[in-house]
């Protein structure tokens, strides 16, 4: 009926291989609030989205795949079908998704996240170490750490350090050229 909408609830299950299985669709889903699962924000955002779509549908016409509304991501926009000649079939996508070994992918992704976490930790520790070294360098010559003189001193120290590194690189480059010419 024009000017109305119907909300469906879709139930899925994930198996031990992280494949998704459709269980059922509910024409009148129940929304329960739980202290243990953060459903309140999700349901509130969903109703906000439905009301906004109902009251101002043209506001969403420019949205494309990947655009966000609250915590929801647009995965398909039927308005784009005419532009791309590619028809979306959720059943095909669903079947294709389950063909892949998701448990192994999830393990590899978690390794990447762990590596990123360690890299951020090391970077944070490096910044803390550099700040401590800077403080020691300035206090050793009786300069306040936040003073312009301290900044100039640290800049000068960095330039000296860079010059030494550059000389080492040039020395290695000279050795490599010599070896290559043999």
């Amino acid at each position: 009926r024009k000017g109305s909408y119907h909300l469906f609830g879709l139930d899925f299950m994930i198996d031990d291989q992280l494949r998704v299985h459709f269980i059922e669709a509910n024409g009148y889903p129940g929304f329960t609030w739980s202290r243990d699962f953060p459903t309140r924000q999700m349901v509130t955002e969903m109703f906000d989205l439905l009301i906004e779509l109902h009251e101002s549908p043209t506001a969403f016409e420019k949205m494309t795949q990947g655009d966000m509304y609250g915590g929801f991501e647009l995965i398909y926009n039927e308005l784009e079908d005419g532009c791309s000649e590619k028809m979306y079939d959720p059943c095909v996508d669903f079947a294709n998704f389950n063909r892949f070994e998701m448990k192994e992918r999830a393990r590899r992704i978690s390794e990447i996240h762990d590596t990123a976490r360690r890299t951020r930790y090391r970077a944070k520790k490096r910044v803390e170490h550099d700040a401590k070294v800077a403080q020691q360098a300035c206090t050793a010559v009786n300069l306040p750490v936040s003073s312009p003189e301290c900044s100039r001193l640290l800049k000068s120290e960095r330039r000296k350090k860079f010059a030494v590194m550059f000389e080492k690189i040039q020395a290695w480059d000279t050795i490599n050229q010599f070896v290559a010419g043999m």
Side-chain angles (χ1 to χ4, degrees):
R1 193 169 27 158
K2 188 173 181 170
S4 63
Y5 60 87
H6 191 107
L7 185 63
F8 291 91
L10 304 175
D11 296 341
F12 295 92
M13 180 177 67
I14 301 173
D15 67 15
D16 63 340
Q17 294 300 313
L18 301 180
R19 289 185 301 247
V20 179
H21 302 276
F22 174 68
I23 304 297
E24 66 180 350
N26 301 304
Y28 298 94
F31 296 105
T32 57
W33 309 116
S34 169
R35 277 183 257 131
D36 301 329
F37 190 73
T39 56
R40 185 178 298 273
Q41 181 179 353
M42 178 191 70
V43 173
T44 303
E45 285 179 358
M46 182 177 56
F47 280 119
D48 288 346
L49 174 62
L50 286 172
I51 291 166
E52 194 162 339
L53 275 169
H54 182 70
E55 292 177 354
S56 178
T58 57
F60 295 93
E61 287 178 354
K62 292 189 168 108
M63 288 184 77
T64 59
Q65 184 177 354
D67 286 348
M68 301 291 291
Y69 181 92
F72 290 93
E73 179 182 352
L74 180 66
I75 58 172
Y76 172 69
N77 183 350
E78 65 271 3
L79 298 175
E80 294 177 348
D81 271 351
C83 301
S84 69
E85 302 288 326
K86 178 185 172 198
M87 296 298 288
Y88 176 71
D89 185 346
C91 296
V92 171
D93 278 358
F94 189 67
N96 286 338
F97 177 81
N98 279 340
R99 286 186 323 172
F100 301 110
E101 190 64 40
M102 296 307 292
K103 204 168 198 174
E104 178 60 23
R105 284 185 179 186
R107 185 190 62 74
R108 281 187 271 155
I109 288 169
S110 71
E111 285 177 1
I112 291 167
H113 285 285
D114 288 345
T115 302
R117 206 173 297 114
R118 284 191 302 273
T119 302
R120 281 194 306 270
Y121 176 78
R122 285 189 202 119
K124 179 183 173 195
K125 287 299 180 186
R126 184 67 193 177
V127 167
E128 290 171 358
H129 175 265
D130 290 349
K132 189 175 179 182
V133 167
Q135 184 177 10
Q136 290 171 347
C138 290
T139 54
V141 291
N142 296 325
L143 290 174
V145 176
S146 60
S147 70
E149 293 83 13
C150 180
S151 295
R152 283 193 288 276
L153 173 68
L154 295 174
K155 197 174 200 179
S156 170
E157 292 296 322
R158 283 194 300 270
R159 284 185 177 157
K160 287 177 190 173
K161 197 175 186 180
F162 177 76
V164 169
M165 286 174 38
F166 188 70
E167 286 175 16
K168 288 179 182 177
I169 291 170
Q170 283 184 319
W172 275 108
D173 192 37
T174 304
I175 292 169
N176 286 335
Q177 287 176 1
F178 175 75
V179 171
M182 293 179 83

